[in-house]
Amino acid sequence: MSEGSEDTEGRAPSLSELGDPKKLAARVLGHEGRVMAMGKSGYRQQRPSNVCIFNSLVVLGGDASPEALWWGDLDLTLWEERLCVLARLLARPLYVFHEFALPDSIDDLDLTGATAQVHPTGKLELSADRASHILRGSDGTLRIALPTDARTRLRLRILRHRPRLWRFWQIEVRKRQARQGSNERSTRAYIGRRDQSRSPLLVFARVHWLAAFESLSTVELIWYPADGEHRRAQKPLIDLSPHIRVGRNMLWLRIVVWPAFMWEALAGFSRQRTD
């Protein structure tokens, strides 16, 4: 064993030895801008108990000022261990934010508003509003506590409830351009109050993604009614995904009607690249 290896044996490598924190995050979490699925509703339907944070931002905290480290889709049920490993390697806490909680500037970011905090010791803490309905499954992973009542998809008590005011005059538009080699351009308009489904929200999204072998363009319209305890249907009432493929081109639609949870209409076009 060389003399240099004896000096580093038994201790964690320093941040300077690991290199750029963003490159390390990309090695642990994957490339920035990673998309777990083209349709959020489809991913939630296939994994209803998984704790998903779409369009998340991972922020590096600690003694220094907060630094945006990584962004993309995260599934805490599957990727919690990787976040813990990254926090231990950097020896600084990580803060995971949902896009709804992000300000316009990183300088205005309030770390106490993070959805999850990962300590260098490997401990993960959820925000109070998330911790109330998220628990550890029998396999030790984070899981959303699903209601056990599975009698009927559609019940009168789902439709009979006090309506919440839709604040249609509150409009927020967000645009995202390509970052560090990513080829995504997106525009999202939020019509209504973004308050974790406590009031209705209409979302319009237009996304163009240039991947290695194909280009994709989607237009999506999603209506989120105000959520209420024990009102959400167990499964979508309607879930249709017709598609047409002609040569290198494909056009697809997605229509989801999920009472008391989400109404989604998505149209997409993709073309395989030959260059």
Side-chain angles (χ1 to χ4, degrees):
M1 183 179 297
S2 65
E3 181 179 354
S5 61
E6 293 177 354
D7 294 337
T8 58
E9 186 177 3
R11 67 173 180 86
S14 65
L15 190 57
S16 59
E17 292 172 338
L18 293 172
D20 185 4
K22 289 189 175 183
K23 292 183 179 180
L24 179 61
R27 292 176 59 187
V28 176
L29 301 178
H31 65 84
E32 278 198 311
R34 188 187 66 238
V35 177
M36 294 191 299
M38 294 305 299
K40 299 178 183 178
S41 60
Y43 191 89
R44 292 192 183 103
Q45 180 184 353
Q46 295 296 325
R47 303 168 179 83
S49 65
N50 284 29
V51 184
C52 304
I53 307 179
F54 295 96
N55 298 321
S56 67
L57 177 67
V58 179
V59 176
L60 182 61
D63 299 333
S65 58
E67 176 186 355
L69 189 65
W70 186 90
W71 67 277
D73 293 348
L74 277 178
D75 187 334
L76 295 184
T77 301
L78 302 177
W79 292 74
E80 177 188 6
E81 184 177 354
R82 295 201 179 201
L83 285 170
C84 294
V85 168
L86 182 59
R88 285 197 295 266
L89 288 174
L90 296 174
R92 288 170 62 182
L94 301 178
Y95 298 84
V96 183
F97 285 85
H98 193 280
E99 62 172 335
F100 288 169
L102 292 176
D104 294 332
S105 173
I106 189 70
D107 298 329
D108 302 328
L109 195 63
D110 182 8
L111 295 181
T112 60
T115 299
Q117 178 181 357
V118 186
H119 299 273
T121 58
K123 179 181 178 182
L124 185 143
E125 292 183 0
L126 295 167
S127 59
D129 59 329
R130 289 289 185 119
S132 60
H133 62 275
I134 294 177
L135 44 78
R136 291 284 178 184
S138 58
D139 57 354
T141 59
L142 293 172
R143 296 287 178 178
I144 296 176
L146 298 177
T148 57
D149 185 7
R151 290 174 295 175
T152 308
R153 292 185 183 180
L154 186 60
R155 296 183 294 274
L156 289 179
R157 65 188 179 90
I158 290 177
L159 302 178
R160 187 180 61 194
H161 63 279
R162 180 170 59 86
R164 301 291 182 89
L165 176 64
W166 178 33
R167 292 171 171 80
F168 57 86
W169 58 89
Q170 296 184 4
I171 302 176
E172 180 182 354
V173 178
R174 290 199 172 190
K175 295 184 178 181
R176 173 176 289 172
Q177 299 293 334
R179 300 183 184 178
Q180 295 185 355
S182 173
N183 293 309
E184 178 188 8
R185 298 194 309 272
S186 63
T187 301
R188 286 181 171 84
Y190 302 91
I191 306 173
R193 178 180 293 181
R194 300 168 65 184
D195 55 359
Q196 300 293 336
S197 298
R198 288 186 288 271
S199 60
L201 177 67
L202 179 66
V203 180
F204 171 79
R206 185 178 62 186
V207 180
H208 178 73
W209 179 269
L210 187 62
F213 299 103
E214 63 179 344
S215 60
L216 303 95
S217 297
T218 62
V219 177
E220 189 170 4
L221 190 67
I222 311 176
W223 168 254
Y224 294 101
D227 199 358
E229 187 177 4
H230 305 309
R231 286 198 303 104
R232 179 178 297 183
Q234 300 293 314
K235 297 180 179 179
L237 189 63
I238 299 175
D239 188 352
L240 302 175
S241 301
H243 66 276
I244 300 175
R245 180 181 291 277
V246 179
R248 295 186 290 115
N249 304 314
M250 185 172 70
L251 175 67
W252 74 91
L253 300 174
R254 182 170 179 82
I255 301 175
V256 177
V257 176
W258 197 324
F261 175 48
M262 176 184 63
W263 301 62
E264 179 187 51
L266 181 145
F269 174 79
S270 65
R271 179 180 178 85
Q272 294 180 353
R273 301 175 60 192
T274 58
D275 52 348

